[in-house]
Amino acid sequence: MGRVVIVSNRVMDTTQAAQAGGVAVAISEVLQSHRGLWFGWSGAVQADVGEAPTVTPMTDGVAIATIPLTPQEHQGYYLGYANSVLWPVFHNRLDLAQFEAGFFDIYRSVNARMAASLKPLLEPDDTIWVHDYHLVPLALELRAMGVRNPIGYFLHIPFPPAQTFLAIPEHKRLARMLAAYDLVGLQTEADVANMLDYLKQGVRGRILQDGRIRAFDRVLSIGSFPVSIDPKEFVSAKPRAGLAQGGPTVRRIIGVDRLDYTKGLPPKFHAFARFLERYPDNSGNVVLTQIAPPTRESVEAYTDIRTELETLAGSINGRFGELDWVPIHYIHRSIPRSTLADIYRSARIGLVTPMRDGMNLVAKEYVAAQDPADPGVLILSRFAGAAEQLTDALIVNPYNIDEIADAIETALQMDKAERLRRNAAMLSVIQDHDTFAWSRSFLGALGRVYAKERASGGPPSPELRQRLGQLAGRTGRDEPIRSDGSRPANLTGSLE
Ligand code: ADQ
C-alpha cells in the first residue's frame, strides 16, 4: 500500500500534534493511516548543510525527514521571498513587498535542493501533498527530476486578486510552477475565482469543459478546501476562574491572533476605544483580553507592530481606565491550548477582525468552545476566509471602526434565543466540515484528477490505481468536476 508524503516548510512530531491543533491534527492522522513521510526544514540554520536529509522514524509509524538551511538560504528563502514578498502580496499588502531584493533565485534554489533531497526517499506509488507559499516551485523541480507521482498543493493563505498577483515581477514563473501540480487547493471560492481570473488574464489559461485549466503545457485542477479544526477538542472547555478582572458582572471580549500586520490588531483596539466612547454605560463592565504571541520578529515589516500595539493599549487604558478597571488586558505570549479553550468559553464575544486571512481557525475554535446552552457571539471580518462558511457570525468590515464598535454593542445586547440559533448553525457547519473532512476531500480530489490525467496520458500502475481508489473512496462522494467558466471550479466534494 502506498504512502502519503507531506512536504511543508516546517515539520512536527506527529505524536504531539494535538498540542498544535487544527491542520497539524489532520496531517498527523493522514500520515499515521498511510504509513506516511513528512519532509521539511529542520529549523536549523548552519553553514554546512550536506546532501542527505536526516530521517527519523517516529513511534506511530510515521517518518520525519528534514534538512537544515544555510544562513544565506534562511535569509533569501524564508525571511526573504516567502515572508517579505509572497506573504505581504498574497495578503494585499503590495506596499510591504520587497521585490527589489533579489530573493527569487534563492527561493527557487532552496526548493530545488529540497526536491533533490526528497527524491531518493520517494516510492513509485506515493501521493505527494505540498503545503503553503514557501514551496510553490517544488512540483516543477520534482517533475524535472522525473517524478510522475500525483502531486497536490494546498495554499493556506489567500490568493490575491489578479491585478495584485500581476504586480509580482516573477508572476509568470510562479504560475508555471503552480501548473506543475495536479491539483491546487485554496481556502475559499473567492480565492479560486482570483486564481482563475489571474490564469486567464496573466498567462492565457483556458478553462476546459470539465472545469480543469490548461496553462502552459499542462492541465491542472483548482478547488476550494476550507481548513478546519477538530471541534471535539473544544467540547470540554470550562469557564475559567481566576482571569484578570473576572468579576460576575464583567463581560469579556477575546482576541487571539499572532502579532502580524495582517491580523488587524491596531484597528481592533481603536474599535474597542470607539465602542467605549459611543456606549459609555459599558465602562467598568467589559474587558478586551487580547492574546498576541510574537511571530517572525526577524522580518523587517514586523518590527514596529509590537511597539505600536503596546502604545495603543497604554493610551486606551490611560484614557478610559478606572482605579478598579483596566479596559484592555494584553498578553504577548503563547498559551497552552486547553487554557485557550477555557478562555474562549469565558468570553461573551470572540472578536476576529483580520484585514485579510486565508481561513482563521481562531474563529472556528471560539464557536466550538462555547457553552451550547448559553453561547457567546462571534464577530468576524468579512476578509477572513472563515466568513464564507460562518455566515451566522456578526460579519464586519475591519476597515470600518464604527461598524466594529456597533457590532460589539449588538453582540452584548443580543438575546439568548438569537445567540443559540447563530451558534448552533455555525457549530453544525464546523462539525460537518471538520479538519479530517478537509484532508479527506483534498486527497480524494487529488486521486480523482490524477486518475483522469492518467486516463488521457496512459493508465497508472495497478498498485497506484488501487491506492487512488482508496483515497477517492474515503470522501464518500464521486461528483464530476465541472465549471461553466463563469463560476469558480470547485472540487470540494463533501465541503460544498
Ligand atoms: P495563522 O495565521 O497562524 O495560520 P489561524 O488560522 O488563526 O492563523 O491559526 C492560529 C492557530 O494558532 C490557532 O489554532 C490558535 O489557537 C493558535 N494560537 C494563536 N495564538 C495562540 C497563543 N497565544 N497561544 C497558543 N495558541 C495560539 C495560517 C493562515 C490562516 C489559516 C491557517 C491554517 O494565516 O489563515 O487559517 O494557516 O490554514
Side-chain angles (χ1 to χ4, degrees), residues 19-23 87 91 132 154-158 187 227-229 234 256-258 260 262-263 291-293 296 331-337 340 344 352 356-363 365 385 438:
Q19 284 151 36
V23 174
W87 177 272
H91 287 87
D132 229 354
F154 186 79
L155 182 68
H156 290 257
I157 63 176
Q187 297 272 25
V227 293
S228 196
I229 60 166
F234 295 87
V256 178
D257 311 82
R258 283 183 306 98
D260 193 297
T262 61
K263 299 289 184 183
I291 300 172
R296 300 178 201 154
I331 298 167
H332 180 57
R333 62 170 182 280
S334 270
I335 303 280
R337 285 185 70 73
L340 208 53
Y344 290 141
V352 181
R356 194 78 187 89
D357 215 331
M359 178 54 53
N360 195 296
L361 293 178
V362 169
E365 292 169 358
W438 166 72

Short mmCIF file of all heavy atoms in Angstrom, two decimals, residues 19-23 87 91 132 154-158 187 227-229 234 256-258 260 262-263 291-293 296 331-337 340 344 352 356-363 365 385 438, ligand 1:
data_model
loop_
_atom_site.label_atom_id
_atom_site.label_comp_id
_atom_site.label_asym_id
_atom_site.label_seq_id
_atom_site.Cartn_x
_atom_site.Cartn_y
_atom_site.Cartn_z
N GLN A 19 -1.31 19.08 20.52
CA GLN A 19 -0.96 20.35 21.16
C GLN A 19 -0.87 21.51 20.18
O GLN A 19 -0.83 22.66 20.57
CB GLN A 19 0.37 20.21 21.91
CG GLN A 19 0.19 19.43 23.20
CD GLN A 19 1.43 18.67 23.61
OE1 GLN A 19 2.53 19.14 23.40
NE2 GLN A 19 1.24 17.48 24.16
N ALA A 20 -0.83 21.18 18.88
CA ALA A 20 -0.78 22.27 17.89
C ALA A 20 -2.15 22.51 17.27
O ALA A 20 -2.42 23.59 16.76
CB ALA A 20 0.24 21.94 16.81
N GLY A 21 -3.02 21.50 17.30
CA GLY A 21 -4.39 21.68 16.83
C GLY A 21 -4.56 21.68 15.33
O GLY A 21 -3.62 21.43 14.57
N GLY A 22 -5.82 21.96 14.90
CA GLY A 22 -6.22 22.17 13.50
C GLY A 22 -5.52 21.34 12.45
O GLY A 22 -5.68 20.13 12.36
N VAL A 23 -4.74 22.03 11.64
CA VAL A 23 -4.11 21.43 10.48
C VAL A 23 -3.15 20.31 10.89
O VAL A 23 -3.09 19.26 10.25
CB VAL A 23 -3.36 22.53 9.69
CG1 VAL A 23 -2.57 21.94 8.57
CG2 VAL A 23 -4.35 23.57 9.18
N TRP A 87 4.12 36.55 1.33
CA TRP A 87 3.15 36.79 2.43
C TRP A 87 2.47 38.16 2.28
O TRP A 87 1.24 38.24 2.24
CB TRP A 87 3.83 36.61 3.80
CG TRP A 87 2.92 36.90 4.95
CD1 TRP A 87 2.71 38.13 5.53
CD2 TRP A 87 2.04 35.98 5.64
NE1 TRP A 87 1.77 38.02 6.55
CE2 TRP A 87 1.35 36.72 6.63
CE3 TRP A 87 1.79 34.61 5.52
CZ2 TRP A 87 0.42 36.14 7.50
CZ3 TRP A 87 0.86 34.03 6.38
CH2 TRP A 87 0.19 34.79 7.35
N HIS A 91 -1.53 38.85 0.91
CA HIS A 91 -2.47 39.49 1.84
C HIS A 91 -2.77 40.93 1.41
O HIS A 91 -3.15 41.76 2.24
CB HIS A 91 -1.91 39.47 3.27
CG HIS A 91 -1.95 38.11 3.91
ND1 HIS A 91 -0.94 37.20 3.75
CD2 HIS A 91 -2.89 37.50 4.68
CE1 HIS A 91 -1.25 36.08 4.41
NE2 HIS A 91 -2.42 36.24 4.98
N ASP A 132 1.73 25.17 1.25
CA ASP A 132 1.91 26.59 1.52
C ASP A 132 2.94 27.33 0.65
O ASP A 132 3.65 26.75 -0.16
CB ASP A 132 2.17 26.83 3.01
CG ASP A 132 1.26 27.95 3.53
OD1 ASP A 132 0.55 28.57 2.72
OD2 ASP A 132 1.27 28.22 4.74
N PHE A 154 -1.53 22.73 -1.42
CA PHE A 154 -2.54 23.49 -0.70
C PHE A 154 -1.94 24.80 -0.20
O PHE A 154 -0.90 24.80 0.48
CB PHE A 154 -3.12 22.70 0.48
CG PHE A 154 -4.26 23.45 1.12
CD1 PHE A 154 -5.51 23.44 0.53
CD2 PHE A 154 -4.06 24.22 2.25
CE1 PHE A 154 -6.56 24.18 1.08
CE2 PHE A 154 -5.10 24.97 2.80
CZ PHE A 154 -6.35 24.94 2.21
N LEU A 155 -2.62 25.91 -0.55
CA LEU A 155 -2.17 27.24 -0.12
C LEU A 155 -2.98 27.64 1.11
O LEU A 155 -4.20 27.77 1.03
CB LEU A 155 -2.39 28.24 -1.26
CG LEU A 155 -1.94 29.67 -0.97
CD1 LEU A 155 -0.41 29.76 -0.86
CD2 LEU A 155 -2.43 30.63 -2.06
N HIS A 156 -2.31 27.87 2.24
CA HIS A 156 -3.02 28.19 3.49
C HIS A 156 -3.39 29.67 3.58
O HIS A 156 -4.20 30.05 4.41
CB HIS A 156 -2.15 27.80 4.69
CG HIS A 156 -2.04 26.31 4.86
ND1 HIS A 156 -2.74 25.61 5.80
CD2 HIS A 156 -1.32 25.39 4.17
CE1 HIS A 156 -2.45 24.32 5.70
NE2 HIS A 156 -1.59 24.16 4.71
N ILE A 157 -2.79 30.50 2.76
CA ILE A 157 -3.08 31.94 2.82
C ILE A 157 -3.94 32.32 1.61
O ILE A 157 -4.13 31.50 0.71
CB ILE A 157 -1.76 32.76 2.90
CG1 ILE A 157 -0.90 32.58 1.64
CG2 ILE A 157 -0.97 32.35 4.14
CD1 ILE A 157 0.37 33.43 1.63
N PRO A 158 -4.48 33.54 1.56
CA PRO A 158 -5.37 33.87 0.44
C PRO A 158 -4.61 33.91 -0.88
O PRO A 158 -3.40 34.17 -0.89
CB PRO A 158 -5.86 35.29 0.78
CG PRO A 158 -5.41 35.58 2.16
CD PRO A 158 -4.30 34.66 2.49
N GLN A 187 -8.28 28.07 0.02
CA GLN A 187 -9.17 28.06 1.19
C GLN A 187 -10.62 28.34 0.83
O GLN A 187 -11.54 27.80 1.45
CB GLN A 187 -8.71 29.12 2.21
CG GLN A 187 -7.33 28.90 2.79
CD GLN A 187 -7.35 28.01 4.03
OE1 GLN A 187 -8.25 27.21 4.20
NE2 GLN A 187 -6.35 28.14 4.87
N VAL A 227 -9.81 24.88 5.38
CA VAL A 227 -9.22 24.17 6.52
C VAL A 227 -10.12 24.34 7.74
O VAL A 227 -10.93 25.26 7.82
CB VAL A 227 -7.80 24.64 6.93
CG1 VAL A 227 -6.78 24.33 5.88
CG2 VAL A 227 -7.79 26.08 7.29
N SER A 228 -9.96 23.42 8.70
CA SER A 228 -10.86 23.46 9.84
C SER A 228 -10.17 22.94 11.10
O SER A 228 -8.95 22.79 11.13
CB SER A 228 -12.12 22.65 9.52
OG SER A 228 -13.13 22.97 10.44
N ILE A 229 -10.97 22.69 12.11
CA ILE A 229 -10.47 22.24 13.41
C ILE A 229 -11.13 20.90 13.73
O ILE A 229 -12.02 20.45 13.01
CB ILE A 229 -10.84 23.26 14.51
CG1 ILE A 229 -12.38 23.42 14.59
CG2 ILE A 229 -10.19 24.60 14.24
CD1 ILE A 229 -12.83 24.13 15.85
N PHE A 234 -12.74 20.90 21.70
CA PHE A 234 -13.19 22.06 22.47
C PHE A 234 -14.44 21.80 23.31
O PHE A 234 -14.90 22.66 24.04
CB PHE A 234 -13.45 23.25 21.52
CG PHE A 234 -12.19 23.72 20.87
CD1 PHE A 234 -11.74 23.13 19.69
CD2 PHE A 234 -11.40 24.69 21.46
CE1 PHE A 234 -10.55 23.52 19.10
CE2 PHE A 234 -10.21 25.10 20.88
CZ PHE A 234 -9.78 24.50 19.70
N VAL A 256 -7.50 36.43 19.82
CA VAL A 256 -6.29 35.58 19.83
C VAL A 256 -5.71 35.63 18.42
O VAL A 256 -6.30 35.11 17.47
CB VAL A 256 -6.63 34.11 20.20
CG1 VAL A 256 -5.38 33.24 20.14
CG2 VAL A 256 -7.26 34.03 21.58
N ASP A 257 -4.60 36.32 18.26
CA ASP A 257 -4.02 36.47 16.92
C ASP A 257 -2.50 36.54 17.05
O ASP A 257 -2.01 37.23 17.95
CB ASP A 257 -4.42 37.81 16.28
CG ASP A 257 -5.91 38.10 16.35
OD1 ASP A 257 -6.38 38.59 17.40
OD2 ASP A 257 -6.58 37.87 15.35
N ARG A 258 -1.77 35.86 16.14
CA ARG A 258 -0.33 36.11 16.09
C ARG A 258 -0.12 37.61 15.85
O ARG A 258 -0.95 38.24 15.19
CB ARG A 258 0.31 35.33 14.94
CG ARG A 258 0.52 33.86 15.21
CD ARG A 258 1.23 33.15 14.06
NE ARG A 258 0.58 33.33 12.78
CZ ARG A 258 0.94 34.22 11.86
NH1 ARG A 258 1.99 35.02 12.08
NH2 ARG A 258 0.30 34.32 10.72
N ASP A 260 0.73 39.86 13.90
CA ASP A 260 1.04 40.00 12.47
C ASP A 260 0.26 41.19 11.92
O ASP A 260 -0.90 41.41 12.31
CB ASP A 260 0.60 38.72 11.75
CG ASP A 260 1.15 38.60 10.34
OD1 ASP A 260 0.81 39.45 9.48
OD2 ASP A 260 1.91 37.66 10.09
N THR A 262 -1.26 41.50 9.30
CA THR A 262 -2.49 41.12 8.59
C THR A 262 -3.68 40.93 9.53
O THR A 262 -4.82 40.83 9.09
CB THR A 262 -2.30 39.79 7.83
OG1 THR A 262 -2.00 38.76 8.79
CG2 THR A 262 -1.18 39.88 6.83
N LYS A 263 -3.42 40.83 10.82
CA LYS A 263 -4.47 40.43 11.76
C LYS A 263 -5.33 41.60 12.25
O LYS A 263 -6.26 41.41 13.02
CB LYS A 263 -3.87 39.68 12.95
CG LYS A 263 -3.13 38.39 12.57
CD LYS A 263 -4.06 37.28 12.12
CE LYS A 263 -3.30 35.98 11.84
NZ LYS A 263 -4.15 34.91 11.32
N ILE A 291 -4.79 38.17 23.27
CA ILE A 291 -3.58 37.33 23.35
C ILE A 291 -2.91 37.40 21.99
O ILE A 291 -3.53 37.09 20.97
CB ILE A 291 -3.96 35.89 23.71
CG1 ILE A 291 -4.68 35.89 25.07
CG2 ILE A 291 -2.72 35.00 23.75
CD1 ILE A 291 -5.26 34.56 25.46
N ALA A 292 -1.66 37.86 21.96
CA ALA A 292 -0.98 38.08 20.67
C ALA A 292 0.47 37.62 20.78
O ALA A 292 1.36 38.42 21.08
CB ALA A 292 -1.07 39.56 20.29
N PRO A 293 0.73 36.32 20.53
CA PRO A 293 2.11 35.83 20.65
C PRO A 293 3.01 36.40 19.56
O PRO A 293 2.53 36.72 18.47
CB PRO A 293 1.96 34.31 20.50
CG PRO A 293 0.68 34.12 19.78
CD PRO A 293 -0.20 35.27 20.13
N ARG A 296 7.70 35.88 13.65
CA ARG A 296 8.60 36.40 12.60
C ARG A 296 9.26 37.72 12.96
O ARG A 296 9.26 38.66 12.16
CB ARG A 296 7.81 36.59 11.30
CG ARG A 296 7.20 35.32 10.81
CD ARG A 296 6.39 35.51 9.58
NE ARG A 296 5.48 34.40 9.46
CZ ARG A 296 4.33 34.43 8.82
NH1 ARG A 296 3.95 35.52 8.20
NH2 ARG A 296 3.56 33.37 8.78
N ILE A 331 -1.77 40.27 26.36
CA ILE A 331 -0.76 39.26 26.69
C ILE A 331 0.04 38.92 25.44
O ILE A 331 -0.53 38.50 24.43
CB ILE A 331 -1.43 37.98 27.23
CG1 ILE A 331 -2.17 38.31 28.52
CG2 ILE A 331 -0.42 36.87 27.46
CD1 ILE A 331 -3.12 37.23 28.96
N HIS A 332 1.36 39.07 25.52
CA HIS A 332 2.21 38.91 24.35
C HIS A 332 2.99 37.59 24.43
O HIS A 332 4.20 37.57 24.48
CB HIS A 332 3.18 40.12 24.28
CG HIS A 332 4.11 40.09 23.12
ND1 HIS A 332 3.71 40.01 21.82
CD2 HIS A 332 5.47 40.15 23.07
CE1 HIS A 332 4.76 40.01 21.02
NE2 HIS A 332 5.85 40.09 21.77
N ARG A 333 2.29 36.47 24.54
CA ARG A 333 2.98 35.18 24.53
C ARG A 333 2.01 34.04 24.23
O ARG A 333 0.80 34.25 24.17
CB ARG A 333 3.72 34.93 25.84
CG ARG A 333 2.83 34.87 27.03
CD ARG A 333 3.56 34.37 28.28
NE ARG A 333 2.56 34.32 29.33
CZ ARG A 333 2.16 35.36 30.01
NH1 ARG A 333 2.69 36.56 29.80
NH2 ARG A 333 1.21 35.26 30.91
N SER A 334 2.56 32.82 24.06
CA SER A 334 1.72 31.66 23.76
C SER A 334 1.04 31.15 25.02
O SER A 334 1.51 31.37 26.13
CB SER A 334 2.56 30.55 23.17
OG SER A 334 2.58 30.69 21.79
N ILE A 335 -0.09 30.46 24.81
CA ILE A 335 -0.90 29.95 25.93
C ILE A 335 -1.18 28.48 25.61
O ILE A 335 -1.46 28.17 24.44
CB ILE A 335 -2.27 30.69 25.95
CG1 ILE A 335 -2.09 32.21 26.06
CG2 ILE A 335 -3.20 30.15 27.00
CD1 ILE A 335 -1.82 32.71 27.45
N PRO A 336 -1.14 27.56 26.59
CA PRO A 336 -1.47 26.16 26.28
C PRO A 336 -2.88 26.06 25.69
O PRO A 336 -3.77 26.81 26.06
CB PRO A 336 -1.42 25.46 27.65
CG PRO A 336 -0.68 26.38 28.54
CD PRO A 336 -0.82 27.77 27.99
N ARG A 337 -3.07 25.12 24.76
CA ARG A 337 -4.35 25.06 24.03
C ARG A 337 -5.55 24.81 24.94
O ARG A 337 -6.64 25.32 24.70
CB ARG A 337 -4.29 23.98 22.94
CG ARG A 337 -3.47 24.45 21.77
CD ARG A 337 -3.50 23.46 20.65
NE ARG A 337 -4.78 23.38 19.99
CZ ARG A 337 -5.26 24.32 19.18
NH1 ARG A 337 -4.58 25.41 18.94
NH2 ARG A 337 -6.43 24.17 18.60
N LEU A 340 -6.48 28.01 26.41
CA LEU A 340 -7.08 28.86 25.37
C LEU A 340 -8.57 28.51 25.21
O LEU A 340 -9.43 29.39 25.14
CB LEU A 340 -6.34 28.60 24.06
CG LEU A 340 -6.27 29.70 23.03
CD1 LEU A 340 -5.73 30.98 23.62
CD2 LEU A 340 -5.39 29.25 21.87
N TYR A 344 -11.76 31.00 25.68
CA TYR A 344 -12.84 31.20 24.68
C TYR A 344 -14.21 31.04 25.36
O TYR A 344 -15.13 31.80 25.15
CB TYR A 344 -12.77 30.16 23.57
CG TYR A 344 -11.61 30.26 22.60
CD1 TYR A 344 -10.97 29.10 22.14
CD2 TYR A 344 -11.19 31.48 22.07
CE1 TYR A 344 -9.95 29.16 21.20
CE2 TYR A 344 -10.15 31.54 21.14
CZ TYR A 344 -9.54 30.38 20.71
OH TYR A 344 -8.52 30.43 19.80
N VAL A 352 -12.74 38.70 15.97
CA VAL A 352 -11.77 38.21 14.98
C VAL A 352 -11.84 39.13 13.77
O VAL A 352 -12.73 38.99 12.93
CB VAL A 352 -12.13 36.75 14.58
CG1 VAL A 352 -11.13 36.21 13.58
CG2 VAL A 352 -12.19 35.86 15.82
N ARG A 356 -7.04 40.63 6.32
CA ARG A 356 -7.08 39.59 5.30
C ARG A 356 -6.56 38.33 5.98
O ARG A 356 -5.59 38.40 6.74
CB ARG A 356 -6.15 39.98 4.13
CG ARG A 356 -6.35 39.17 2.90
CD ARG A 356 -7.57 39.61 2.12
NE ARG A 356 -7.82 38.70 1.00
CZ ARG A 356 -8.58 37.59 1.10
NH1 ARG A 356 -9.15 37.26 2.23
NH2 ARG A 356 -8.77 36.82 0.05
N ASP A 357 -7.18 37.20 5.72
CA ASP A 357 -6.75 35.95 6.36
C ASP A 357 -7.20 34.79 5.47
O ASP A 357 -8.31 34.82 4.94
CB ASP A 357 -7.42 35.82 7.74
CG ASP A 357 -6.52 35.15 8.77
OD1 ASP A 357 -5.67 34.34 8.36
OD2 ASP A 357 -6.65 35.45 9.96
N GLY A 358 -6.32 33.78 5.33
CA GLY A 358 -6.67 32.63 4.49
C GLY A 358 -7.96 32.00 4.98
O GLY A 358 -8.96 31.89 4.25
N MET A 359 -7.96 31.55 6.25
CA MET A 359 -9.17 30.99 6.85
C MET A 359 -9.44 31.70 8.17
O MET A 359 -10.39 32.41 8.34
CB MET A 359 -8.98 29.47 7.07
CG MET A 359 -10.14 28.77 7.75
SD MET A 359 -11.76 29.01 6.98
CE MET A 359 -11.46 28.56 5.29
N ASN A 360 -8.60 31.50 9.14
CA ASN A 360 -8.66 31.93 10.55
C ASN A 360 -9.34 30.86 11.39
O ASN A 360 -10.58 30.78 11.47
CB ASN A 360 -9.36 33.28 10.76
CG ASN A 360 -9.04 33.79 12.16
OD1 ASN A 360 -9.42 33.19 13.15
ND2 ASN A 360 -8.27 34.87 12.23
N LEU A 361 -8.50 30.04 12.00
CA LEU A 361 -9.00 28.93 12.80
C LEU A 361 -9.50 29.39 14.17
O LEU A 361 -10.31 28.71 14.79
CB LEU A 361 -7.91 27.86 12.95
CG LEU A 361 -7.56 27.16 11.63
CD1 LEU A 361 -6.44 26.16 11.84
CD2 LEU A 361 -8.78 26.46 11.04
N VAL A 362 -9.02 30.54 14.63
CA VAL A 362 -9.47 31.05 15.93
C VAL A 362 -10.99 31.24 15.91
O VAL A 362 -11.69 30.92 16.88
CB VAL A 362 -8.74 32.37 16.29
CG1 VAL A 362 -9.38 33.04 17.49
CG2 VAL A 362 -7.26 32.08 16.56
N ALA A 363 -11.53 31.72 14.79
CA ALA A 363 -12.99 31.93 14.68
C ALA A 363 -13.73 30.61 14.92
O ALA A 363 -14.72 30.55 15.65
CB ALA A 363 -13.33 32.50 13.31
N GLU A 365 -12.50 27.90 16.43
CA GLU A 365 -12.24 27.43 17.80
C GLU A 365 -13.17 28.13 18.78
O GLU A 365 -13.71 27.50 19.70
CB GLU A 365 -10.77 27.70 18.17
CG GLU A 365 -9.78 26.84 17.37
CD GLU A 365 -8.33 27.28 17.53
OE1 GLU A 365 -8.06 28.28 18.24
OE2 GLU A 365 -7.44 26.63 16.94
N GLY A 385 -11.16 34.12 5.48
CA GLY A 385 -11.77 33.04 4.68
C GLY A 385 -12.94 32.39 5.41
O GLY A 385 -13.92 31.97 4.79
N TRP A 438 -11.50 17.93 5.73
CA TRP A 438 -10.63 18.74 4.86
C TRP A 438 -9.56 17.86 4.17
O TRP A 438 -9.43 17.87 2.95
CB TRP A 438 -9.96 19.84 5.70
CG TRP A 438 -8.82 20.53 5.03
CD1 TRP A 438 -8.89 21.40 3.99
CD2 TRP A 438 -7.42 20.38 5.35
NE1 TRP A 438 -7.63 21.83 3.64
CE2 TRP A 438 -6.72 21.22 4.45
CE3 TRP A 438 -6.70 19.65 6.29
CZ2 TRP A 438 -5.32 21.32 4.47
CZ3 TRP A 438 -5.33 19.75 6.32
CH2 TRP A 438 -4.65 20.58 5.42
P1 ADQ B 1 -2.36 31.66 11.21
O1 ADQ B 1 -2.13 32.97 10.54
O2 ADQ B 1 -1.39 31.32 12.26
O3 ADQ B 1 -2.47 30.47 10.17
P2 ADQ B 1 -5.02 30.89 12.44
O4 ADQ B 1 -5.77 30.16 11.40
O5 ADQ B 1 -5.88 31.76 13.27
O6 ADQ B 1 -3.88 31.82 11.84
O7 ADQ B 1 -4.32 29.83 13.35
C1 ADQ B 1 -3.65 30.18 14.51
C2 ADQ B 1 -3.59 28.99 15.45
O8 ADQ B 1 -2.65 29.30 16.47
C3 ADQ B 1 -4.93 28.72 16.12
O9 ADQ B 1 -5.13 27.33 16.22
C4 ADQ B 1 -4.76 29.34 17.52
O10 ADQ B 1 -5.45 28.67 18.54
C5 ADQ B 1 -3.27 29.20 17.74
N1 ADQ B 1 -2.80 30.33 18.59
C6 ADQ B 1 -2.85 31.62 18.31
N2 ADQ B 1 -2.38 32.35 19.35
C7 ADQ B 1 -2.01 31.49 20.30
C8 ADQ B 1 -1.44 31.62 21.60
N3 ADQ B 1 -1.12 32.78 22.15
N4 ADQ B 1 -1.19 30.50 22.28
C9 ADQ B 1 -1.48 29.32 21.74
N5 ADQ B 1 -2.02 29.12 20.53
C10 ADQ B 1 -2.28 30.20 19.81
C11 ADQ B 1 -2.33 30.33 8.74
C12 ADQ B 1 -3.20 31.27 7.89
C13 ADQ B 1 -4.65 31.15 8.31
C14 ADQ B 1 -5.10 29.69 8.19
C15 ADQ B 1 -4.12 28.76 8.89
C16 ADQ B 1 -4.43 27.30 8.60
O11 ADQ B 1 -2.74 32.61 8.01
O12 ADQ B 1 -5.47 31.98 7.52
O13 ADQ B 1 -6.37 29.56 8.80
O14 ADQ B 1 -2.79 28.99 8.46
O15 ADQ B 1 -4.51 27.06 7.24
#
